[in-house]
């Protein structure tokens, strides 16, 4: 029996509002955006960098335009925004999958025992593949990005200017104050 790894089932967890957490590769802060059609590509890239799948099909999705960090404005490709927990999970799946492949290869040898009457090893079945990541239960502050018409979630304590993750537009502070810029011109 061979097992198929369904990469599509390896999904990034969402919170109850449907947002996915991202971590800036530059400043390490996290924020959330709506799931992206490039998420599967990001997970797939990470997975295949850890374990060269023989039958690795591209997820069919390409890398999209780079994203911007909500806080520091750092720009990076869409597969650079996995959080530490997401990285750890993908690594666990890759390792477990590698064990399954090794098991299948060794089990194949014992199955063809008639050609190999004295196997020098015992094949121990590997542990099951890890289940999905738990949903993201922490709610952050929902902020509408007027430039792109999309909501994002920012850390509660962040009250400085924000960059739109999608288009990079720079937005003023969020402290609840009206931002009024007065400029005195002396003549
Ligand atoms: Zn950042
Ligand atoms: Zn925007």
């Amino acid at each position: 029996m061979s097992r198929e790894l369904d990469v599509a089932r390896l999904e990034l967890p969402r919170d109850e509002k449907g947002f996915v957490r991202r971590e800036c590769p530059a400043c390490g802060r996290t924020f959330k955006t709506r799931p992206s059609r490039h998420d599967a590509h990001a997970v797939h890239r990470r997975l295949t960098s850890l374990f060269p799948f023989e039958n690795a099909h591209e997820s069919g999705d390409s890398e999209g335009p780079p994203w911007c960090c909500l806080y520091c404005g750092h720009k990076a490709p869409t597969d650079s925004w996995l959080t530490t927990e997401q990285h750890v999970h993908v690594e666990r799946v890759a390792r477990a999958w590698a064990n399954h492949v090794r098991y299948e290869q060794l089990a194949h040898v014992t199955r063809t025992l008639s050609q190999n009457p004295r196997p020098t090893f015992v094949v121990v079945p590997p542990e099951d593949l890890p289940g999905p990541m738990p949903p993201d239960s922490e709610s952050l502050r929902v902020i509408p990005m007027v430039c792109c018409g999309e909501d994002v979630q920012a850390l509660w304590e962040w009250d400085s200017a924000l960059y739109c993750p999608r288009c990079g537009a720079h937005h003023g502070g969020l402290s609840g104050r009206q931002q009024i810029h007065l400029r005195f011109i002396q003549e």
Side-chain angles (χ1 to χ4, degrees):
M1 190 191 77
S2 75
R3 299 174 186 82
E4 294 283 327
L5 178 70
D6 186 352
V7 176
R9 272 194 288 142
L10 187 61
E11 271 191 328
L12 300 179
R14 301 174 186 187
D15 67 13
E16 79 282 358
K17 295 191 183 91
F19 286 79
V20 177
R21 192 181 290 264
R22 322 286 180 184
E23 185 177 310
C24 173
C27 71
R29 296 184 186 95
T30 64
F31 58 94
K32 297 193 208 176
T33 63
R34 294 287 179 194
S36 158
R37 59 196 187 86
H38 304 295
D39 287 347
H41 175 78
V43 169
H44 188 265
R45 277 281 293 271
R46 182 73 192 142
L47 206 51
T48 49
S49 76
L50 292 161
F51 180 69
F53 293 95
E54 246 173 71
N55 56 346
H57 305 294
E58 263 302 327
S59 49
D61 234 331
S62 58
E63 188 178 309
W67 288 344
C68 263
C69 174
L70 189 64
Y71 313 104
C72 74
H74 177 76
K75 224 176 211 188
T78 47
D79 58 0
S80 312
W81 302 86
L82 293 181
T83 67
T84 309
E85 291 78 15
Q86 290 161 357
H87 267 297
V88 167
H89 180 73
V90 173
E91 277 170 27
R92 277 181 53 210
V93 171
R95 210 176 310 124
W97 182 245
N99 288 337
H100 277 263
V101 170
R102 225 167 283 136
Y103 171 73
E104 291 297 334
Q105 287 166 343
L106 295 178
H108 176 74
V109 176
T110 55
R111 269 185 231 118
T112 52
L113 212 60
S114 52
Q115 295 110 52
N116 178 22
R118 277 178 298 170
T120 53
F121 52 81
V122 174
V123 186
V124 180
E127 286 174 27
D128 285 341
L129 291 174
M133 287 181 74
D136 188 342
S137 57
E138 190 197 7
S139 257
L140 305 178
R141 185 202 290 211
V142 178
I143 295 162
M145 286 282 132
V146 287
C147 50
C148 292
E150 271 182 30
D151 288 347
V152 298
Q153 287 188 39
L155 299 169
W156 289 99
E157 64 270 23
W158 187 266
D159 65 355
S160 308
L162 291 174
Y163 296 85
C164 173
R166 183 183 275 239
C167 74
H170 193 235
H171 297 280
L174 291 156
S175 56
R177 298 181 298 255
Q178 283 283 355
Q179 293 257 317
I180 300 167
H181 296 280
L182 297 174
R183 194 181 297 152
F184 294 94
I185 301 167
Q186 279 189 320
E187 302 208 15

